[in-house]
Amino acid sequence: MQSRSIITASRARSLVGASACVVLLAAGCGAGEAPRGSVDSAMVHIERQVSYGPRVPGSPARDHAARYLARTLERYGARVSLQSFEIEDPYAEQRRLHLINIVASFAPERTRRIMLCAHYDSRPWADQEADSSLWSTPIPGAVDGAASVGVLLEIARVVGARAPEDIGVDIVLFDGEDYGRAGDIEHYLLGSKHFVVNLGNYRPTCAILLDMVGGKGTRVRRETLSKDHAGAWLDVVFARAAALGLDYFEAADGPPMIDDHVPLLQAGIPAID
């Protein structure tokens, strides 16, 4: 969930492209030929997010990023809505923390839907750095947030131009995923927890969560909670990756992750990380 390093460009390009291909195919855009995405376009979106500074919930950088992401998704043809909400800041007395989820829907009239999601906030504390003097410094969040969002924005561009024929696609960008301090699980995943409380009748066929894609040396394994609760969808994604010859995806099991797919699973949505 956490990384302070800026993306290594060449490695990021490969991983971002691989992630986009697999998610597009799993979303039902056709098995015969991978839709043509642009890694350069995804990289522009990543760099733009990082240029605002750390996207800490409630900060001007987060506000700038939210506007950019919402406008870009609208430009690609999605119907966009914002889920704005506030909580008591657990780490600052007498302060309200304002958060914004971004929900973009393609073909919103269709009842059969797939949900693609990521978080766009960045961590307020670099508390995993070896140098303790940096622990109170917010992270840029290039890998931890921006890379996954860049993939989803490029997917949005392709879906807007070449939508699946029989399924609607929702792209949800969560705020507040990384707000909790170490050991305080309750105050992580703020955006996805709010999202599931306000689901109404929305029940996607499945949800695919991207997080921490694009990091140097990244390997994608079969995350345990995804396998246990939505194994059939994990099989679809890994089969697509194998068919495309993407060696970043490994058949080995990975450890369970506390991530934005957990509230979705708890709400009964098959979700994979």
Side-chain angles (χ1 to χ4, degrees):
M1 292 168 65
Q2 303 165 34
S3 172
R4 193 170 184 277
S5 60
I6 294 293
I7 284 178
T8 302
S10 60
R11 181 65 175 176
R13 288 176 185 276
S14 298
L15 285 163
V16 166
S19 300
C21 284
V22 169
V23 175
L24 278 166
L25 288 171
C29 287
E33 179 184 355
R36 293 185 179 274
S38 166
V39 176
D40 287 339
S41 176
M43 291 295 293
V44 166
H45 294 312
I46 296 167
E47 291 163 359
R48 182 68 174 268
Q49 292 172 82
V50 174
S51 74
Y52 295 127
R55 301 168 303 287
V56 175
S59 69
R62 190 284 312 272
D63 292 344
H64 288 307
R67 283 192 292 270
Y68 171 73
L69 298 173
R71 289 171 181 168
T72 301
L73 289 162
E74 285 180 336
R75 180 160 53 88
Y76 291 156
R79 185 183 71 185
V80 176
S81 61
L82 303 180
Q83 279 189 343
S84 297
F85 62 104
E86 290 186 348
I87 65 167
E88 295 289 340
D89 192 326
Y91 310 119
E93 291 185 6
Q94 299 182 334
R95 178 185 142 173
R96 302 285 292 175
L97 183 66
H98 177 239
L99 300 107
I100 307 169
N101 290 337
I102 302 167
V103 182
S105 297
F106 293 89
E109 73 284 356
R110 293 176 182 163
T111 55
R112 182 169 175 257
R113 313 197 63 76
I114 189 168
M115 175 180 168
L116 312 176
C117 51
H119 76 93
Y120 73 99
D121 63 302
S122 62
R123 187 156 177 75
W125 310 283
D127 52 1
Q128 294 193 3
E129 287 291 330
D131 183 353
S132 61
S133 68
L134 298 172
W135 286 357
S136 61
T137 304
I139 69 169
V143 173
D144 198 0
S148 301
V149 173
V151 169
L152 293 188
L153 288 181
E154 177 57 8
I155 289 172
R157 184 187 69 80
V158 174
V159 170
R162 180 188 169 184
E165 294 180 359
D166 60 348
I167 192 167
V169 177
D170 302 303
I171 293 178
V172 182
L173 306 179
F174 297 121
D175 198 359
E177 185 266 2
D178 229 350
Y179 198 70
R181 290 190 182 275
D184 183 12
I185 297 299
E186 180 182 354
H187 293 108
Y188 284 92
L189 317 181
L190 299 176
S192 54
K193 289 175 180 177
H194 179 82
F195 182 80
V196 300
V197 169
N198 294 275
L199 279 176
N201 295 323
Y202 178 66
R203 289 295 186 277
T205 300
C206 85
I208 301 176
L209 170 68
L210 274 63
D211 198 2
M212 298 290 289
V213 304
K216 185 177 181 180
T218 293
R219 312 296 293 181
V220 182
R221 298 182 177 91
R222 298 171 63 88
E223 190 270 332
T224 296
L225 297 177
S226 305
K227 183 185 73 171
D228 290 347
H229 299 282
W233 284 103
L234 203 64
D235 291 343
V236 169
V237 169
F238 274 77
R240 296 295 200 197
L244 291 168
L246 302 175
D247 61 1
Y248 308 126
F249 289 77
E250 296 181 350
D253 291 344
M257 302 297 293
I258 303 300
D259 213 336
D260 280 319
H261 68 314
V262 172
L264 300 174
L265 288 170
Q266 291 171 340
I269 296 171
I272 61 173
D273 186 1

